[in-house]
mmCIF file of all heavy atoms in Angstrom:
data_model
loop_
_atom_site.group_PDB
_atom_site.id
_atom_site.type_symbol
_atom_site.label_atom_id
_atom_site.label_comp_id
_atom_site.label_asym_id
_atom_site.label_seq_id
_atom_site.Cartn_x
_atom_site.Cartn_y
_atom_site.Cartn_z
ATOM 1 N N PHE J 47 30.753 -35.483 11.832
ATOM 2 C CA PHE J 47 30.870 -34.045 11.611
ATOM 3 C C PHE J 47 30.252 -33.264 12.761
ATOM 4 O O PHE J 47 29.246 -33.668 13.319
ATOM 5 C CB PHE J 47 30.147 -33.619 10.311
ATOM 6 C CG PHE J 47 30.739 -34.175 9.054
ATOM 7 C CD1 PHE J 47 30.153 -35.258 8.420
ATOM 8 C CD2 PHE J 47 31.882 -33.610 8.498
ATOM 9 C CE1 PHE J 47 30.703 -35.779 7.265
ATOM 10 C CE2 PHE J 47 32.436 -34.122 7.343
ATOM 11 C CZ PHE J 47 31.853 -35.207 6.730
ATOM 12 N N TYR J 48 30.909 -32.157 13.074
ATOM 13 C CA TYR J 48 30.335 -31.108 13.919
ATOM 14 C C TYR J 48 30.064 -29.969 12.971
ATOM 15 O O TYR J 48 31.005 -29.342 12.472
ATOM 16 C CB TYR J 48 31.311 -30.725 15.022
ATOM 17 C CG TYR J 48 30.948 -29.478 15.797
ATOM 18 C CD1 TYR J 48 29.891 -29.471 16.690
ATOM 19 C CD2 TYR J 48 31.688 -28.306 15.636
ATOM 20 C CE1 TYR J 48 29.573 -28.338 17.413
ATOM 21 C CE2 TYR J 48 31.373 -27.173 16.359
ATOM 22 C CZ TYR J 48 30.317 -27.187 17.241
ATOM 23 O OH TYR J 48 29.997 -26.058 17.953
ATOM 24 N N ILE J 49 28.787 -29.717 12.667
ATOM 25 C CA ILE J 49 28.499 -28.822 11.543
ATOM 26 C C ILE J 49 27.230 -28.015 11.801
ATOM 27 O O ILE J 49 26.198 -28.238 11.142
ATOM 28 C CB ILE J 49 28.432 -29.620 10.220
ATOM 29 C CG1 ILE J 49 28.341 -28.689 9.030
ATOM 30 C CG2 ILE J 49 27.381 -30.725 10.247
ATOM 31 C CD1 ILE J 49 28.623 -29.346 7.680
ATOM 32 N N PRO J 50 27.281 -27.038 12.748
ATOM 33 C CA PRO J 50 26.093 -26.211 12.971
ATOM 34 C C PRO J 50 25.728 -25.332 11.772
ATOM 35 O O PRO J 50 24.597 -24.857 11.679
ATOM 36 C CB PRO J 50 26.474 -25.364 14.193
ATOM 37 C CG PRO J 50 27.942 -25.486 14.327
ATOM 38 C CD PRO J 50 28.348 -26.763 13.674
ATOM 39 N N SER J 51 26.680 -25.137 10.860
ATOM 40 C CA SER J 51 26.378 -24.427 9.618
ATOM 41 C C SER J 51 27.479 -24.734 8.619
ATOM 42 O O SER J 51 28.570 -25.178 9.004
ATOM 43 C CB SER J 51 26.264 -22.928 9.847
ATOM 44 O OG SER J 51 27.508 -22.407 10.264
ATOM 45 N N GLY J 52 27.191 -24.503 7.345
ATOM 46 C CA GLY J 52 28.223 -24.647 6.331
ATOM 47 C C GLY J 52 28.375 -26.047 5.793
ATOM 48 O O GLY J 52 27.490 -26.878 5.938
ATOM 49 N N THR J 53 29.488 -26.280 5.130
ATOM 50 C CA THR J 53 29.779 -27.539 4.465
ATOM 51 C C THR J 53 31.147 -28.044 4.876
ATOM 52 O O THR J 53 32.087 -27.261 5.006
ATOM 53 C CB THR J 53 29.739 -27.355 2.930
ATOM 54 O OG1 THR J 53 28.431 -26.962 2.537
ATOM 55 C CG2 THR J 53 30.120 -28.637 2.204
ATOM 56 N N LYS J 54 31.236 -29.358 5.104
ATOM 57 C CA LYS J 54 32.508 -29.993 5.427
ATOM 58 C C LYS J 54 32.622 -31.285 4.642
ATOM 59 O O LYS J 54 31.609 -31.899 4.286
ATOM 60 C CB LYS J 54 32.608 -30.299 6.929
ATOM 61 C CG LYS J 54 32.724 -29.081 7.817
ATOM 62 C CD LYS J 54 32.959 -29.486 9.266
ATOM 63 C CE LYS J 54 33.123 -28.264 10.143
ATOM 64 N NZ LYS J 54 33.337 -28.625 11.570
ATOM 65 N N GLN J 55 33.862 -31.683 4.420
ATOM 66 C CA GLN J 55 34.101 -32.954 3.730
ATOM 67 C C GLN J 55 35.173 -33.719 4.454
ATOM 68 O O GLN J 55 36.131 -33.144 4.983
ATOM 69 C CB GLN J 55 34.524 -32.712 2.283
ATOM 70 C CG GLN J 55 34.791 -34.004 1.516
ATOM 71 C CD GLN J 55 34.585 -33.860 0.022
ATOM 72 O OE1 GLN J 55 34.391 -32.765 -0.492
ATOM 73 N NE2 GLN J 55 34.635 -34.970 -0.683
ATOM 74 N N ASN J 56 35.003 -35.037 4.495
ATOM 75 C CA ASN J 56 36.003 -35.912 5.078
ATOM 76 C C ASN J 56 36.010 -37.201 4.274
ATOM 77 O O ASN J 56 35.184 -38.086 4.475
ATOM 78 C CB ASN J 56 35.689 -36.197 6.544
ATOM 79 C CG ASN J 56 36.781 -37.021 7.207
ATOM 80 O OD1 ASN J 56 37.794 -37.349 6.578
ATOM 81 N ND2 ASN J 56 36.595 -37.344 8.465
ATOM 82 N N GLY J 57 36.913 -37.271 3.330
ATOM 83 C CA GLY J 57 36.996 -38.458 2.484
ATOM 84 C C GLY J 57 35.751 -38.621 1.634
ATOM 85 O O GLY J 57 35.366 -37.711 0.900
ATOM 86 N N ARG J 58 35.108 -39.789 1.770
ATOM 87 C CA ARG J 58 33.902 -40.051 0.953
ATOM 88 C C ARG J 58 32.647 -39.424 1.563
ATOM 89 O O ARG J 58 31.576 -39.480 0.965
ATOM 90 C CB ARG J 58 33.699 -41.559 0.845
ATOM 91 C CG ARG J 58 34.804 -42.300 0.109
ATOM 92 C CD ARG J 58 34.509 -43.803 0.015
ATOM 93 N NE ARG J 58 34.501 -44.429 1.332
ATOM 94 C CZ ARG J 58 33.383 -44.774 1.981
ATOM 95 N NH1 ARG J 58 32.186 -44.564 1.435
ATOM 96 N NH2 ARG J 58 33.454 -45.360 3.167
ATOM 97 N N LEU J 59 32.773 -38.870 2.728
ATOM 98 C CA LEU J 59 31.625 -38.267 3.398
ATOM 99 C C LEU J 59 31.704 -36.751 3.340
ATOM 100 O O LEU J 59 32.798 -36.175 3.434
ATOM 101 C CB LEU J 59 31.583 -38.699 4.860
ATOM 102 C CG LEU J 59 30.858 -40.001 5.214
ATOM 103 C CD1 LEU J 59 31.456 -41.197 4.499
ATOM 104 C CD2 LEU J 59 30.869 -40.221 6.708
ATOM 105 N N SER J 60 30.538 -36.146 3.177
ATOM 106 C CA SER J 60 30.459 -34.695 3.295
ATOM 107 C C SER J 60 29.113 -34.347 3.923
ATOM 108 O O SER J 60 28.183 -35.168 3.923
ATOM 109 C CB SER J 60 30.626 -34.005 1.945
ATOM 110 O OG SER J 60 29.578 -34.363 1.075
#
Side-chain angles (χ1 to χ4, degrees):
Chain J
F47 295 101
Y48 169 72
I49 188 165
S51 64
T53 298
K54 291 186 178 179
Q55 180 154 9
N56 185 2
R58 296 181 295 103
L59 273 59
S60 63

